[in-house]
Amino acid sequence: MPEIKELVKQLADKHGRNRESLLPILQGIISEERYISDFAMTEVARELDMSAALVYGTATFYSFLDTEPRGKYVIRLCRTITCDMKGKKQILRTIEDLLKIEIGETTKDKKFTLLETNCLGWCHKGPAMLINDDAYTELTPEKVSEIIGDYMKNR
Amino acid sequence: MAKTVNLKIDGIDVSVEQGTTVLDAAKKLNIHIPTLCYHEDLCVAGNCRVCVVEQEGAKNLVASCAMPASEGMIIHTNTHKVRNARRHVVELLLSEHNADCTKCYKNTKCELQNLASEMVITEPMFIDLVPFKEYKIDKQSPSIIKDDSKCIRCQRCVRTCHELQHVSALGVAYKGDHMKISTFFENPMYDVVCTNCGQCVNRCPTGALIEKNYIDQVWDAIYDPNKHVIVQTAPATRIALGEDLGMEPGSIVTGKMAASLRRLGFDSVLDTDFTADLTIMEEGTELLTRLKKALVDKDQSIKLPMFTSCSPGWIKFIEHLYPEYLDNLSTCKSPQQMFGALAKTYYAQKKGIDPATIVSVSIMPCTAKKFEAARPEMRDSGFQDVDLGITTRELAVMIKQAGIEFESLSDEKFDSIMGESTGAAVIFGATGGVMEAALRTAYELVTGREVPFKNLNITAVRGMEGVREASVKLENVLPAWSFLEGVELKTAVAHGLTNAHQIMEAIKKGEANYHFVEVMGCPGGCIGGGGQPIPTTPEIRRKRAEAIYREDEGMKIRKSHENPEVIQIYKEFLGEPLGHKSHELLHTHYHPRKRV
Ligand code: SF4
Ligand code: SF4
Ligand code: SF4
Ligand code: FES
Ligand code: FES
């Protein structure tokens, strides 16, 4: 996996090799790879001359630093109470039907991963979800079909 | 001079230096405040809240371990509110805790159990969450067992491994109620960068990190009529064992220890100190040979500085983190392993015993010694050289199991052969001791005179400073060593792997040009080893070190090369230091390991 090695090195050159560089480097890996493998963590530990257990601790602390392989587009549907009361369940069912996967799973073509997340701060416009870094709010089954359909066709 | 502040605790006035915590101020008044996450060796974490007290004027209770005393403060340590809060803390911990005390290795030696007992917690206040948790037990390491169901997440272990050892094999993973103490990817301790030093074990307040004990295996061997069971005792055990048997820190119990081992039923009670003296002969010769090859023969392949190789935690640290320096390690095995290799060869021959029937047990201040004994490199006798390594703590358990009244035992001597030792050997137990012992012998070998220090005490290498340097000028040397005339022998000593890391970085950057470096994996050296009685604190390490040097001063012979049994073994068996037989039995090489 020389690419990861190279990526980690580039990120370290950019963000530095101190303890406080750890988070931006891990975020950099996520935006390239969608997840941080054990190999990537080992490389980060080596580049920053720190313990791999500490890298692992940081990676597992933040929900958005995934440590398992993810699809190109990670859908995170809010599961917290406001969105739940505003109809999150139907949204979830619609996505599951469209992509033929359940929460925690990735489509066969590795394009989508479906996850739940805690409150996104869009409660006033729930139900809300993220696809990678973009927020989608006031979702209805129709609206979410349209959004996902667009990702399926055009990206 | 530091400013003092005046405060009142439970109605009593007290003045303390500015910066002192409320906890320490209370201690000064002999008021005991319970603690769990606090440890004298570590930075303050303030995460358990069991040490809360009431401060007049403050809205909430304050954590006394983290709160600095300030002028005019009024503190109450024993109010209804305080007692309730502490009780809730302990009850909450217990609600997630697999509290099967009678089946727990830490039973009667557990800080959590003590608190529960003190608070008379009989009816649980909260529901039992243990059935909902997926706790794991890791028993794969030959040294350490990690049982997450007993962990209260105080993070003493994490701080120990980071602050004292610069290893950070353990970290904090996940968050909230999923938070746990974890290695890299929750791999077994056996399979990560852990050095097996046991410093975390020594500081864990519960049964979550314990040594893997071999008590039953030792008893089985003793009771087996077909086995000849011999035991060796490391230098640092004889000044600490008493602590686990009701005696004060700093008590020298060499004679009582020998007596108790005989009562336990060992067939021969021998001494690692004998091979500590032997180590000095081999390692001292190795150093002088390296110097000759480097200085006279200009041999570029010779690596300097030479590092000591007695401490198995330090060896594993190098294997993982500085593999490029493996050739700087002395090739000498540790005294434990030299003893093991000789027990099933030299000793067996002399005594006319079939080595296959020998069970070789070691009593060590160390959990890493268990790992070392199990290393594949350590089978040069044709057998596993050391069969069972147990800690000072495990020996104390065995003595209690046997119903021996330890304090009333009369002193006895070690058996022979391989039981004779010198003051130079016993100081192996304290940081700086190997260096001092090596200098006492090497200097005399080269110059024909005793080291130029009063009473042979080389005080420059003693003490608790993390890294210490000393140099000795070699003058008027004997003709055989003329190449060393005028050479200033530069040495350094480090203890605790954080200090070892510091020295390694200095060497790597080319900022240090030592000839010889002593490193001990544990703070204070073996006296502060991971297998020593709990608690181990700065004060206790100081007392144990004092005892070691007292023991040295009280010995008839204080230089390794004058040990009569050492002279005898070279005459009868080994030939000469670094000779053929020595190479075969007493020396080894180590190999790189992965960095995580
Ligand atoms: S760790 Fe302590 S409280 Fe827990 S079971 Fe063991 S002895 Fe009991
Ligand atoms: S393993 Fe022991 S020292 Fe570490 S957090 Fe758990 S209870 Fe504390
Ligand atoms: S045994 Fe030593 S190296 Fe291993 S986890 Fe404990 S403190 Fe760290
Ligand atoms: S509850 Fe869904 S965004 Fe806040
Ligand atoms: S001992 Fe003070 S917070 Fe843990």
Side-chain angles (χ1 to χ4, degrees), chain A residues 38 49 51-52 56-57 60-61, chain B residues 168 172 174-175 184 186 595:
Chain A
D38 55 346
D49 192 19
S51 131
Y56 179 71
T60 54
F61 184 86
Chain B
S168 286
V172 179
Y174 299 96
K175 61 169 168 271
F184 180 56
E186 294 171 55
R595 207 182 158 279

Side-chain angles (χ1 to χ4, degrees), chain B residues 142-143 211-212 214 367-374 389-391 394:
Chain B
S143 296
E211 66 269 20
K212 184 176 269 181
Y214 298 107
T367 50
K369 288 280 169 196
K370 295 170 186 279
F371 174 86
E372 182 185 50
I390 66 171
T391 58
E394 289 162 82

Side-chain angles (χ1 to χ4, degrees), chain B residues 18-244:
Chain B
Q18 193 165 35
T20 308
T21 61
V22 172
L23 178 70
D24 285 334
K27 226 174 260 171
K28 214 175 153 186
L29 295 175
N30 292 322
I31 296 171
H32 174 74
I33 297 173
T35 54
L36 276 174
C37 66
Y38 171 83
H39 193 285
E40 271 180 73
D41 277 331
L42 307 172
C43 78
V44 170
N47 62 29
C48 79
R49 317 308 283 183
V50 85
C51 67
V52 286
V53 295
E54 210 171 327
Q55 180 189 351
E56 275 187 23
K59 203 159 105 246
N60 296 321
L61 297 178
V62 297
S64 61
C65 73
M67 174 62 83
S70 62
E71 188 60 41
M73 223 178 203
I74 300 176
I75 297 286
H76 302 282
T77 73
N78 189 24
T79 64
H80 189 234
K81 197 169 161 190
V82 163
R83 289 256 298 279
N84 261 340
R86 288 181 190 163
R87 191 189 169 100
H88 284 167
V89 165
V90 174
E91 293 250 17
L92 280 168
L93 289 174
L94 288 173
S95 74
E96 295 185 318
H97 187 86
N98 172 24
D100 57 352
C101 297
T102 54
K103 286 183 241 143
C104 182
Y105 188 60
K106 283 300 259 310
N107 193 6
T108 73
K109 292 167 222 150
C110 168
E111 295 180 40
L112 180 63
Q113 189 189 46
N114 282 346
L115 283 179
S117 152
E118 227 169 75
M119 293 174 180
V120 197
I121 295 179
T122 48
E123 294 296 324
M125 187 183 290
F126 303 107
I127 54 165
D128 180 13
L129 293 174
V130 177
F132 306 100
K133 304 267 175 185
E134 284 165 10
Y135 290 131
K136 282 199 237 157
I137 305 187
D138 169 12
K139 292 186 179 176
Q140 284 189 41
S141 154
S143 296
I144 293 168
I145 295 176
K146 176 171 179 280
D147 180 351
D148 292 347
S149 76
K150 310 246 187 261
C151 174
I152 57 168
R153 292 170 288 178
C154 67
Q155 299 177 32
R156 278 193 197 170
C157 54
V158 174
R159 281 173 285 149
T160 299
C161 200
H162 179 71
E163 293 167 24
L164 304 181
Q165 300 301 66
H166 192 84
V167 174
S168 286
L170 295 172
V172 179
Y174 299 96
K175 61 169 168 271
D177 62 337
H178 295 288
M179 192 259 249
K180 62 164 92 173
I181 305 305
S182 173
T183 56
F184 180 56
F185 259 88
E186 294 171 55
N187 289 330
M189 300 272 279
Y190 184 53
D191 207 20
V192 296
V193 61
C194 169
T195 67
N196 301 305
C197 70
Q199 286 300 312
C200 55
V201 171
N202 202 291
R203 283 170 190 74
C204 179
T206 70
L209 283 166
I210 54 172
E211 66 269 20
K212 184 176 269 181
N213 85 77
Y214 298 107
I215 294 171
D216 284 342
Q217 286 91 322
V218 175
W219 280 124
D220 288 348
I222 289 175
Y223 289 135
D224 186 338
N226 301 317
K227 297 285 185 212
H228 181 83
V229 190
I230 61 171
V231 64
Q232 55 165 316
T233 58
T237 54
R238 67 206 64 202
I239 49 78
L241 176 64
E243 288 169 40
D244 263 357

Side-chain angles (χ1 to χ4, degrees), chain B residues 540-556:
Chain B
I540 292 176
R541 280 195 293 270
R542 210 179 40 70
K543 289 189 175 153
R544 291 180 191 157
E546 273 170 25
I548 282 269
Y549 290 115
R550 253 188 294 130
E551 178 83 339
D552 167 33
E553 293 240 34
M555 299 288 280
K556 270 205 299 292

Side-chain angles (χ1 to χ4, degrees), chain A residues 97-112:
Chain A
D97 284 349
L98 268 172
L99 299 177
K100 311 272 181 288
I101 52 171
E102 289 180 10
I103 285 172
E105 293 180 345
T106 300
T107 53
K108 278 212 183 67
D109 62 1
K110 305 261 185 305
K111 197 158 177 186
F112 295 97

